[in-house]
Amino acid sequence: MDLNMDLKKVVKVVPLKLYPSQLGDVKKGINENLKSKLMKYNTEYKGVPVGFSKIKLTSQRAVIHEDSPIIHAYAKVTFTIFRPKVGDVLEGEVNKVTVDHIGVVVLGRFNASVSRSDLPSGYTYREDLGAYVLDDVDSVNIKVGSKIKIVVKTIEASHGVINLNSTLY
């Protein structure tokens, strides 16, 4: 399974705001500005920017508005976007198991959940183990630390955070 299927490269021209304190090291200021755009769901990008590269200012000039010391510029940037789709199969690590759901972290950063009602028949929650076990099979447990494959059922985004409601693969 290729987990990179949900990482896309997108080239965008983005506005930058540089403060006077950043003029001593403009590259550092640009990087700080771009880092502030990472790890938040962006409706325009239809995903979550997780990295950037190939930064190129679109002009040799920048603008200072008369009532503000902030310098405004634009840069062409290649962003790496996490853009899952309904039906995608992803692998993640279980970080929570309760009677109601299984919590999963995908790519070490993104929350996914599998509701008890979305588990295949035959799985039972065992409180004494803190795990879901497959009936009549001793070796199949879903517990904290397990690696599992999930299928994205719905995607919710709120305040820049996404949650992948999923089923087991």
Side-chain angles (χ1 to χ4, degrees), residues 93-147:
E93 183 172 332
V94 175
N95 67 341
K96 185 174 187 176
V97 178
T98 70
V99 70
D100 296 320
H101 80 285
I102 299 168
V104 183
V105 178
V106 176
L107 295 176
R109 298 179 178 174
F110 301 101
N111 292 322
S113 60
V114 179
S115 173
R116 180 181 188 163
S117 61
D118 289 323
L119 289 174
S121 62
Y123 277 95
T124 304
Y125 179 70
R126 292 265 313 265
E127 191 170 355
D128 59 322
L129 299 175
Y132 277 92
V133 296
L134 190 55
D135 296 342
D136 300 326
V137 181
D138 292 333
S139 62
V140 178
N141 292 338
I142 299 174
K143 59 186 177 186
V144 172
S146 296
K147 303 275 191 212

Coordinates of all heavy atoms in Angstrom, one line a residue, residues 93-147:
E93 N -1.8 4.1 13.5 CA -1.5 3.4 14.8 C -2.6 3.7 15.7 O -3.0 4.9 15.9 CB -0.2 3.9 15.3 CG 0.2 3.2 16.6 CD 1.6 3.5 17.1 OE1 2.5 3.8 16.2 OE2 1.8 3.4 18.3
V94 N -3.1 2.7 16.4 CA -4.2 2.9 17.4 C -3.6 3.6 18.6 O -2.6 3.2 19.1 CB -4.8 1.5 17.8 CG1 -5.8 1.7 18.9 CG2 -5.4 0.8 16.6
N95 N -4.3 4.7 19.0 CA -3.9 5.4 20.2 C -4.9 5.5 21.3 O -4.7 5.9 22.4 CB -3.5 6.9 19.8 CG -4.7 7.7 19.4 OD1 -5.7 7.2 19.0 ND2 -4.5 9.0 19.4
K96 N -6.1 4.9 21.0 CA -7.2 4.9 22.0 C -8.2 3.8 21.6 O -8.5 3.6 20.5 CB -7.9 6.2 22.1 CG -8.9 6.3 23.2 CD -9.5 7.7 23.2 CE -10.3 7.9 24.5 NZ -10.8 9.2 24.6
V97 N -8.6 3.0 22.7 CA -9.6 2.0 22.5 C -10.6 2.1 23.6 O -10.2 2.0 24.8 CB -9.0 0.5 22.5 CG1 -10.1 -0.5 22.3 CG2 -7.9 0.4 21.4
T98 N -11.8 2.3 23.2 CA -12.9 2.4 24.2 C -14.1 1.5 23.7 O -14.0 1.0 22.6 CB -13.5 3.9 24.4 OG1 -14.2 4.2 23.2 CG2 -12.3 4.8 24.7
V99 N -15.1 1.4 24.6 CA -16.2 0.6 24.2 C -17.0 1.2 23.0 O -17.6 0.5 22.2 CB -17.2 0.4 25.4 CG1 -17.8 1.7 25.8 CG2 -18.2 -0.7 25.1
D100 N -16.8 2.5 22.8 CA -17.5 3.2 21.7 C -16.8 3.4 20.4 O -17.4 3.5 19.4 CB -17.9 4.6 22.2 CG -18.9 4.6 23.4 OD1 -19.8 3.7 23.4 OD2 -18.7 5.4 24.3
H101 N -15.4 3.4 20.5 CA -14.7 3.7 19.3 C -13.2 3.3 19.4 O -12.7 3.1 20.5 CB -14.8 5.1 18.8 CG -13.9 6.1 19.5 ND1 -14.1 6.5 20.8 CD2 -12.8 6.7 19.1 CE1 -13.2 7.3 21.2 NE2 -12.3 7.4 20.2
I102 N -12.5 3.3 18.3 CA -11.1 3.1 18.2 C -10.5 4.4 17.6 O -10.9 4.9 16.6 CB -10.7 1.9 17.3 CG1 -11.3 0.6 17.8 CG2 -9.2 1.8 17.1 CD1 -11.2 -0.5 16.8
G103 N -9.5 5.0 18.4 CA -8.9 6.2 17.9 C -7.6 5.8 17.2 O -6.9 4.9 17.6
V104 N -7.3 6.4 16.0 CA -6.2 6.0 15.2 C -5.4 7.3 14.8 O -6.1 8.3 14.5 CB -6.6 5.3 13.9 CG1 -5.5 4.8 13.0 CG2 -7.5 4.1 14.3
V105 N -4.1 7.3 14.7 CA -3.3 8.4 14.2 C -2.7 7.9 12.9 O -2.0 6.9 12.8 CB -2.2 8.8 15.2 CG1 -1.3 9.9 14.7 CG2 -2.8 9.2 16.6
V106 N -3.0 8.7 11.9 CA -2.5 8.4 10.5 C -1.4 9.3 10.2 O -1.4 10.5 10.5 CB -3.7 8.7 9.5 CG1 -3.2 8.5 8.1 CG2 -4.9 7.7 9.8
L107 N -0.3 8.8 9.6 CA 0.9 9.5 9.2 C 1.5 10.2 10.4 O 2.2 11.2 10.3 CB 0.7 10.5 8.1 CG 0.3 9.9 6.7 CD1 0.0 11.0 5.7 CD2 1.4 9.0 6.2
G108 N 1.2 9.7 11.6 CA 1.8 10.2 12.8 C 1.3 11.6 13.2 O 1.7 12.2 14.2
R109 N 0.2 12.1 12.5 CA -0.3 13.4 12.8 C -1.8 13.6 12.7 O -2.3 14.6 13.3 CB 0.3 14.4 11.7 CG 1.8 14.4 11.7 CD 2.3 15.4 10.6 NE 3.7 15.4 10.7 CZ 4.5 16.0 9.8 NH1 3.9 16.6 8.8 NH2 5.8 16.1 10.0
F110 N -2.5 12.8 12.0 CA -3.9 13.0 11.8 C -4.8 12.1 12.5 O -4.6 10.9 12.5 CB -4.2 13.0 10.3 CG -3.3 14.0 9.5 CD1 -2.2 13.7 8.9 CD2 -3.7 15.4 9.6 CE1 -1.4 14.6 8.2 CE2 -2.9 16.3 8.9 CZ -1.8 15.9 8.2
N111 N -5.9 12.6 13.1 CA -6.8 11.8 13.9 C -7.8 11.1 13.0 O -8.4 11.7 12.1 CB -7.6 12.6 14.9 CG -6.7 13.1 16.0 OD1 -5.8 12.4 16.4 ND2 -6.9 14.4 16.4
A112 N -8.0 9.8 13.2 CA -9.1 9.1 12.6 C -9.8 8.3 13.7 O -9.2 8.1 14.8 CB -8.5 8.1 11.6
S113 N -11.0 7.9 13.4 CA -11.8 7.1 14.4 C -12.6 6.1 13.7 O -13.1 6.3 12.6 CB -12.6 8.0 15.3 OG -13.6 8.7 14.6
V114 N -12.8 5.0 14.4 CA -13.6 3.9 13.9 C -14.7 3.7 15.0 O -14.3 3.3 16.1 CB -12.8 2.6 13.6 CG1 -13.8 1.5 13.1 CG2 -11.7 2.9 12.6
S115 N -15.9 4.0 14.7 CA -17.0 3.8 15.6 C -17.3 2.3 15.8 O -17.1 1.5 14.9 CB -18.2 4.5 15.1 OG -19.3 4.2 15.9
R116 N -17.7 2.0 17.0 CA -18.0 0.6 17.3 C -19.0 0.1 16.2 O -18.9 -1.1 15.8 CB -18.6 0.5 18.7 CG -19.0 -1.0 19.0 CD -19.6 -1.1 20.4 NE -19.7 -2.5 20.8 CZ -19.9 -2.9 22.0 NH1 -19.9 -2.0 23.0 NH2 -20.0 -4.2 22.2
S117 N -20.0 0.9 15.8 CA -21.0 0.5 14.9 C -20.4 0.3 13.5 O -21.0 -0.4 12.6 CB -22.1 1.5 14.8 OG -21.6 2.8 14.3
D118 N -19.2 0.8 13.2 CA -18.5 0.6 11.9 C -17.5 -0.6 11.9 O -16.8 -0.8 10.9 CB -17.8 1.9 11.5 CG -18.8 2.9 11.1 OD1 -19.8 2.6 10.5 OD2 -18.6 4.1 11.4
L119 N -17.4 -1.3 13.0 CA -16.6 -2.5 13.1 C -17.3 -3.7 12.4 O -18.5 -3.8 12.5 CB -16.2 -2.9 14.5 CG -15.3 -1.9 15.3 CD1 -15.2 -2.3 16.7 CD2 -13.9 -1.9 14.6
P120 N -16.5 -4.5 11.7 CA -17.1 -5.7 11.1 C -17.7 -6.6 12.2 O -17.3 -6.5 13.4 CB -16.0 -6.4 10.5 CG -14.9 -5.4 10.3 CD -15.1 -4.4 11.4
S121 N -18.7 -7.4 11.9 CA -19.3 -8.3 12.9 C -18.2 -9.2 13.4 O -17.3 -9.6 12.7 CB -20.5 -9.0 12.3 OG -20.0 -9.8 11.2
G122 N -18.4 -9.6 14.6 CA -17.4 -10.5 15.2 C -16.4 -9.9 16.2 O -15.7 -10.6 16.9
Y123 N -16.3 -8.6 16.1 CA -15.4 -7.9 17.1 C -16.2 -7.6 18.4 O -17.3 -7.0 18.3 CB -14.9 -6.6 16.5 CG -13.7 -6.8 15.6 CD1 -13.8 -6.9 14.2 CD2 -12.4 -6.9 16.1 CE1 -12.7 -7.1 13.4 CE2 -11.3 -7.1 15.3 CZ -11.5 -7.2 13.9 OH -10.4 -7.4 13.1
T124 N -15.5 -7.9 19.5 CA -16.1 -7.6 20.8 C -15.1 -6.8 21.6 O -13.9 -7.1 21.6 CB -16.4 -8.9 21.5 OG1 -17.3 -9.7 20.7 CG2 -17.1 -8.7 22.9
Y125 N -15.6 -5.8 22.3 CA -14.7 -5.0 23.2 C -14.5 -5.8 24.5 O -15.5 -6.3 25.1 CB -15.3 -3.7 23.6 CG -14.5 -2.9 24.5 CD1 -13.3 -2.3 24.0 CD2 -14.9 -2.6 25.8 CE1 -12.5 -1.6 24.9 CE2 -14.1 -1.9 26.6 CZ -12.9 -1.4 26.2 OH -12.1 -0.7 27.0
R126 N -13.2 -6.0 24.9 CA -12.9 -6.7 26.1 C -12.2 -5.6 27.0 O -11.1 -5.2 26.8 CB -11.9 -7.8 25.8 CG -12.5 -9.0 25.1 CD -12.9 -10.1 26.0 NE -12.0 -10.5 27.0 CZ -11.1 -11.5 26.9 NH1 -11.0 -12.2 25.8 NH2 -10.3 -11.7 27.9
E127 N -13.0 -5.2 28.0 CA -12.5 -4.2 29.0 C -11.2 -4.7 29.7 O -10.3 -3.9 29.9 CB -13.6 -3.8 29.9 CG -13.2 -2.6 30.8 CD -14.4 -2.0 31.5 OE1 -15.5 -2.5 31.4 OE2 -14.1 -1.1 32.3
D128 N -11.2 -6.0 30.0 CA -10.0 -6.5 30.8 C -8.8 -6.4 29.9 O -7.7 -6.3 30.5 CB -10.3 -7.9 31.2 CG -10.6 -8.9 30.1 OD1 -11.3 -8.5 29.1 OD2 -10.1 -10.0 30.1
L129 N -8.9 -6.4 28.6 CA -7.7 -6.3 27.7 C -7.5 -4.9 27.2 O -6.5 -4.6 26.6 CB -7.9 -7.3 26.6 CG -7.9 -8.8 26.9 CD1 -8.2 -9.6 25.6 CD2 -6.7 -9.3 27.5
G130 N -8.6 -4.1 27.3 CA -8.5 -2.8 26.7 C -8.4 -2.9 25.2 O -7.7 -2.1 24.6
A131 N -9.1 -3.8 24.6 CA -8.9 -4.1 23.2 C -10.2 -4.7 22.6 O -11.1 -5.2 23.3 CB -7.8 -5.2 23.0
Y132 N -10.3 -4.6 21.3 CA -11.3 -5.3 20.6 C -10.7 -6.6 20.1 O -9.6 -6.6 19.6 CB -11.8 -4.5 19.4 CG -12.9 -3.5 19.7 CD1 -12.5 -2.2 20.1 CD2 -14.2 -3.9 19.8 CE1 -13.5 -1.3 20.4 CE2 -15.2 -2.9 20.1 CZ -14.8 -1.6 20.5 OH -15.7 -0.7 20.8
V133 N -11.4 -7.7 20.3 CA -11.0 -9.0 19.9 C -11.9 -9.6 18.9 O -13.1 -9.4 19.0 CB -10.7 -10.0 21.1 CG1 -9.7 -9.5 22.0 CG2 -12.0 -10.2 21.8
L134 N -11.4 -10.3 17.9 CA -12.2 -11.0 17.0 C -12.7 -12.3 17.6 O -11.8 -13.2 18.0 CB -11.4 -11.3 15.7 CG -12.2 -11.8 14.5 CD1 -13.4 -10.8 14.1 CD2 -11.3 -11.9 13.3
D135 N -14.0 -12.6 17.7 CA -14.5 -13.8 18.3 C -13.9 -15.0 17.7 O -13.6 -15.1 16.5 CB -16.0 -13.8 18.1 CG -16.8 -12.7 18.8 OD1 -16.2 -12.0 19.7 OD2 -17.9 -12.4 18.4
D136 N -13.5 -15.9 18.6 CA -13.0 -17.2 18.2 C -11.6 -17.2 17.5 O -11.2 -18.2 17.0 CB -14.0 -18.0 17.2 CG -15.3 -18.2 17.8 OD1 -15.4 -18.4 19.0 OD2 -16.3 -18.1 17.0
V137 N -10.9 -16.0 17.6 CA -9.6 -15.9 17.1 C -8.7 -15.3 18.2 O -8.9 -14.1 18.5 CB -9.5 -15.1 15.8 CG1 -8.0 -15.1 15.3 CG2 -10.4 -15.8 14.8
D138 N -7.9 -16.0 18.9 CA -7.1 -15.5 20.0 C -6.1 -14.4 19.6 O -5.8 -13.5 20.4 CB -6.4 -16.6 20.8 CG -7.4 -17.5 21.5 OD1 -8.5 -17.0 21.8 OD2 -7.1 -18.7 21.7
S139 N -5.5 -14.5 18.4 CA -4.4 -13.7 18.1 C -4.8 -12.3 17.5 O -3.9 -11.5 17.2 CB -3.5 -14.4 17.2 OG -4.1 -14.7 16.0
V140 N -6.1 -12.1 17.2 CA -6.5 -10.8 16.5 C -7.1 -9.9 17.6 O -8.2 -10.0 18.0 CB -7.5 -11.1 15.4 CG1 -7.9 -9.8 14.8 CG2 -6.9 -12.0 14.3
N141 N -6.2 -8.9 18.0 CA -6.6 -7.9 18.9 C -6.4 -6.6 18.3 O -5.3 -6.4 17.7 CB -5.9 -8.0 20.3 CG -6.2 -9.3 21.1 OD1 -7.3 -9.9 20.9 ND2 -5.3 -9.7 21.9
I142 N -7.2 -5.6 18.6 CA -7.0 -4.2 18.2 C -6.8 -3.5 19.6 O -7.8 -3.4 20.3 CB -8.1 -3.6 17.4 CG1 -8.3 -4.4 16.1 CG2 -7.8 -2.2 17.1 CD1 -9.5 -4.0 15.3
K143 N -5.6 -3.1 19.8 CA -5.3 -2.4 21.1 C -4.4 -1.2 20.8 O -3.9 -1.0 19.7 CB -4.6 -3.4 22.0 CG -3.3 -4.0 21.5 CD -2.8 -5.1 22.4 CE -1.6 -5.7 21.7 NZ -1.1 -6.8 22.5
V144 N -4.1 -0.4 21.8 CA -3.2 0.7 21.7 C -1.9 0.2 21.2 O -1.3 -0.8 21.7 CB -3.1 1.5 23.0 CG1 -2.0 2.5 23.0 CG2 -4.4 2.1 23.4
G145 N -1.4 0.8 20.2 CA -0.1 0.5 19.6 C -0.3 -0.4 18.3 O 0.7 -0.6 17.6
S146 N -1.4 -1.0 18.1 CA -1.7 -1.8 17.0 C -1.6 -1.0 15.7 O -2.1 0.2 15.7 CB -3.0 -2.5 17.0 OG -3.1 -3.4 18.1
K147 N -1.1 -1.5 14.6 CA -1.1 -0.9 13.3 C -2.3 -1.5 12.6 O -2.4 -2.8 12.5 CB 0.2 -1.2 12.5 CG 1.4 -0.8 13.2 CD 1.7 0.6 12.9 CE 3.2 0.9 13.4 NZ 3.3 2.2 13.9

